């Protein structure tokens, strides 16, 4: 079939990058959604509002966690079936999983409105910061269903060989977000509410286009009468649980960072953490984009038992990630001051905190890419348990240990060192699992 030609081509660096580069660009633009919010909010409203965006992150990560689980896990299950020649069954499952996303999104929106007031009231925040938190999240939750659909359609477009369209949607959404951020905040004076609405509308671009694309029957994947198979939902949840764990514990660790910074420095520390997270998020988006891009290929070759192509793909991926890691670490360290100055002026106490913190956290960029790829690879190969172990250990267990121990020994510098130390520990575990399952999975 013509739609499957990309999977039949030889596995070379050029062909792999053709598949992955649009996805990398797409995830970079997706990371801009949050960064642009921070840029406009910090400069047009103030660093208190910037702190509020970070303080809402755990709730937002919960939404992201569920959609990521259904998207990555579902894509792996469905593309494996495509590789096995069960295309009609795969389309039925695809439609069912999209409907599940809609129902889950409605439930999460309802629960968010019911609980957010109690969540922020217990954090001992200043009146301004607490008000900003409630205002931002109230508007953001309106877009829960489009956000879930966006995350799913992004991966399914890639799997359907429409990575270029997915990229176009992300670019359009990113540009729309930037324009609306400025218009809503500076033009209409909507404050932090405008930032949340701009982000939601930016996300909605992919959701709307995806609905139109997957209604067309000529696509490799398209909507058809759904057949609900409980096992498919379980398999999708199992395969995607590592990515869900990563997003969930990212929210938990964000809360720990915030609480620790509030203890040592105050709300200026939370703003500094937010700036550094933007830098790490941008770098991570490159690794995540590459992993998303090659995941359908890994799943397809796994489904058709083509171990030769699987080995070549994994080998090329390791080299690509190594190159990206070196470039990003050097760029982050060398451009620390210009990066931080975008969000805070040099006379702001947040600036000095963020500069010193970013230079320490940059070490983590040497390890993050390999850890993200390892977890994504095991998900694509339908080994969700190993993927979950890697993701949970990296994002929670190791971070929990370092976040408790390092600040006690080194103070604020210990907070910044916690991330590189946790990523290095995770790298050791990823290498162990990679070698342990190499023969069994054929890569």
């Amino acid at each position: 079939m013509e739609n499957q030609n990309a999977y039949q081509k030889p596995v070379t660096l050029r062909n792999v990058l053709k598949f992955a580069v649009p996805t990398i660009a797409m995830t970079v633009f997706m990371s801009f959604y949050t960064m642009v919010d921070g840029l406009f909010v910090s400069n047009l409203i103030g660093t208190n509002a910037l702190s509020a965006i970070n303080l809402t992150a755990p709730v937002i990560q919960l939404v992201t966690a569920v959609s990521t689980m259904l998207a990555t896990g579902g894509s792996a299950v469905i593309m494996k079936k495509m590789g096995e020649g069960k295309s009609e069954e795969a389309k039925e499952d695809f439609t069912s999983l999209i409907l599940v996303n809609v129902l889950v999104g409605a439930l999460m929106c309802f629960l968010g409105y019911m609980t957010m007031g109690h969540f922020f009231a217990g954090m001992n925040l200043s009146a301004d910061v607490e008000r900003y938190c409630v205002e931002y999240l109230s508007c953001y939750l309106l877009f829960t269903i489009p956000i879930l659909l966006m995350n799913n359609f992004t991966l399914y477009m890639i799997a359907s060989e429409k990575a270029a369209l997915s990229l176009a949607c992300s670019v359009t959404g990113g540009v729309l977000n930037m324009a609306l951020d400025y218009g809503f905040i500076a033009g209409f004076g909507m404050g932090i509410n405008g930032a949340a609405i701009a982000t939601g509308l930016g996300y909605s671009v992919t959701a709307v286009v995806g609905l139109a694309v997957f209604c067309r029957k000529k696509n490799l994947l398209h909507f058809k009468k759904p057949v609900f198979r409980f096992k498919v939902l379980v398999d999708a949840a199992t395969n995607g649980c590592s990515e869900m764990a990563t997003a969930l514990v990212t929210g938990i660790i964000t809360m720990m960072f915030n609480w620790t910074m509030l203890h040592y420095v105050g709300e200026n520390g939370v703003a500094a953490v937010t700036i550094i997270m933007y830098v790490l998020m941008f770098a991570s988006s490159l690794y995540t984009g590459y992993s998303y891009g090659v995941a359908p290929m890994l799943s397809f070759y796994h489904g058709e038992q083509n171990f030769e192509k699987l080995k070549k793909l994994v080998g090329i991926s390791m080299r690509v990630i190594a190159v990206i890691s070196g470039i990003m670490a050097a760029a982050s360290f060398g451009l620390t001051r210009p990066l931080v100055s975008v969000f805070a002026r040099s006379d702001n106490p947040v600036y000095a905190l963020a500069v010193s913190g970013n230079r320490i956290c940059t070490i983590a960029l040497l390890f993050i890419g390999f850890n993200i790829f390892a977890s994504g690879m095991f998900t694509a190969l339908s080994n969700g348990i190993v993927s979950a172990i890697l993701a949970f250990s990296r994002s929670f267990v190791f971070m929990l240990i370092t976040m408790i121990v390092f600040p006690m020994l080194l103070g604020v510098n210990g907070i910044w060192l916690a991330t590189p130390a946790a990523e290095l520990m995770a790298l050791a575990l990823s290498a162990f699992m990679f070698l342990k399952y190499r023969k069994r999975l054929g890569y």
Side-chain angles (χ1 to χ4, degrees):
M1 201 189 322
E2 185 177 349
N3 280 330
Q4 293 179 319
N5 283 342
Y7 295 102
Q8 306 299 335
K9 291 179 180 178
V11 178
T12 62
L13 176 61
R14 181 178 179 180
N15 288 336
V16 170
L17 289 180
K18 278 184 179 179
F19 214 91
V21 165
T23 316
I24 294 172
M26 174 197 64
T27 53
V28 168
F29 269 93
M30 287 172 64
S31 73
F32 281 162
Y33 292 175
T34 305
M35 294 175 67
V36 168
D37 274 352
L39 175 64
F40 282 103
V41 165
S42 62
N43 285 281
L44 297 178
I45 305 176
T47 52
N48 276 349
L50 182 64
S51 298
I53 289 182
N54 194 16
L55 290 165
T56 62
V59 181
I60 292 171
Q61 286 293 343
L62 178 61
V63 176
T64 304
V66 174
S67 62
T68 301
M69 175 191 71
L70 293 172
T72 57
S75 177
V77 170
I78 288 169
M79 289 314 296
K80 184 181 178 185
K81 285 192 175 184
M82 295 293 285
E84 294 169 343
K86 303 176 182 177
S87 60
E88 294 305 308
E89 190 174 318
K91 293 167 191 172
E92 294 168 352
D93 295 337
F94 161 67
T95 309
S96 298
L97 288 174
I98 294 300
L99 291 175
V100 169
N101 273 272
V102 173
L103 295 174
V104 169
L107 177 61
M108 294 185 73
C109 181
F110 172 75
L111 292 176
Y113 278 109
M114 293 294 292
T115 59
M116 67 178 172
H118 302 290
F119 180 78
F120 296 118
M123 296 182 71
N124 282 332
L125 303 171
S126 65
D128 278 348
V129 172
E130 183 176 342
R131 175 173 56 84
Y132 284 139
C133 288
V134 173
E135 288 179 358
Y136 186 82
L137 196 58
S138 295
C139 293
Y140 190 94
L141 286 173
L142 293 173
F143 298 93
T144 305
I145 292 176
I147 289 169
L148 264 72
L149 291 178
M150 180 274 298
N151 280 337
N152 278 265
F153 289 152
T154 293
L155 292 191
Y156 287 120
M157 283 184 192
I158 297 166
S160 299
E161 297 188 56
K162 294 190 178 294
L165 177 61
S166 186
L167 170 60
C169 290
S170 296
V171 172
T172 303
V175 172
L176 179 65
N177 183 31
M178 295 177 199
L180 293 180
D181 260 326
Y182 184 79
F184 288 161
I185 298 174
F188 293 101
M190 294 174 64
I192 202 167
N193 291 332
I197 294 171
T199 298
L201 291 174
Y203 282 139
S204 299
V205 171
T206 302
V208 172
V209 173
L211 287 172
V213 166
F214 291 113
C215 284
R216 301 175 66 184
K217 292 186 177 181
K218 69 176 185 178
N219 290 319
L220 181 64
L221 281 177
H222 58 78
F223 296 131
K224 64 177 302 182
K225 185 177 180 180
V227 177
F228 182 78
R229 299 178 179 89
F230 185 70
K231 184 178 183 303
V232 171
L233 180 59
V234 171
D235 288 344
T238 302
N239 282 331
C241 65
S242 62
E243 280 70 23
M244 179 179 182
T246 299
L248 276 178
V249 299
T250 297
I252 296 171
I253 293 302
T254 299
M255 282 196 296
M256 287 185 62
F257 264 110
N258 292 338
W259 290 337
T260 307
M261 271 299 181
L262 286 169
H263 173 72
Y264 280 91
V265 183
E267 290 174 352
N268 284 336
V270 176
V273 167
T274 308
I275 294 170
I276 291 170
M277 283 186 172
Y278 287 154
V279 176
L280 292 176
M281 178 178 64
F282 175 80
S284 296
S285 69
L286 295 172
Y287 310 128
T288 302
Y290 181 83
S291 297
Y292 282 173
V294 300
M297 300 174 74
L298 290 167
S299 298
F300 192 92
Y301 298 146
H302 177 61
E304 69 173 6
Q305 300 290 291
N306 194 330
F307 299 118
E308 182 182 354
K309 284 189 173 182
L310 199 56
K311 288 177 182 177
K312 285 183 179 179
L313 181 55
V314 172
I316 288 172
S317 298
M318 289 297 179
R319 293 191 290 275
V320 169
I321 290 170
V323 171
I324 296 175
S325 298
I327 293 172
M328 289 308 302
S332 177
F333 189 86
L335 299 174
T336 289
R337 289 186 180 275
L339 288 171
V340 173
S341 66
V342 171
F343 297 93
R345 292 188 222 173
S346 58
D347 58 348
N348 191 320
V350 172
Y351 178 85
L353 280 169
V355 167
S356 61
N358 188 69
R359 285 176 173 164
I360 296 172
C361 285
T362 289
I363 301 169
L365 297 180
L366 297 172
F367 317 128
I368 290 175
F370 295 102
N371 292 327
I372 290 175
F373 177 75
S375 179
M377 181 189 75
F378 282 110
T379 296
L381 298 179
S382 297
N383 198 326
I385 300 300
V386 172
S387 183
I389 291 171
L390 292 177
F392 186 73
S393 298
R394 170 194 171 226
S395 301
F396 185 70
V397 176
F398 298 146
M399 279 300 303
L400 182 63
I401 293 170
T402 57
M403 276 296 296
I404 292 174
V405 174
F406 280 61
M408 291 174 59
L409 298 175
L410 301 169
V412 175
N413 284 339
I415 300 174
W416 305 130
L417 277 170
T419 299
E423 292 291 347
L424 181 58
M425 295 163 70
L427 181 64
L429 180 61
S430 295
F432 172 77
M433 290 296 190
F434 184 88
L435 294 173
K436 179 179 179 180
Y437 287 91
R438 193 168 195 171
K439 289 184 178 179
R440 187 183 307 181
L441 295 176
Y443 54 80

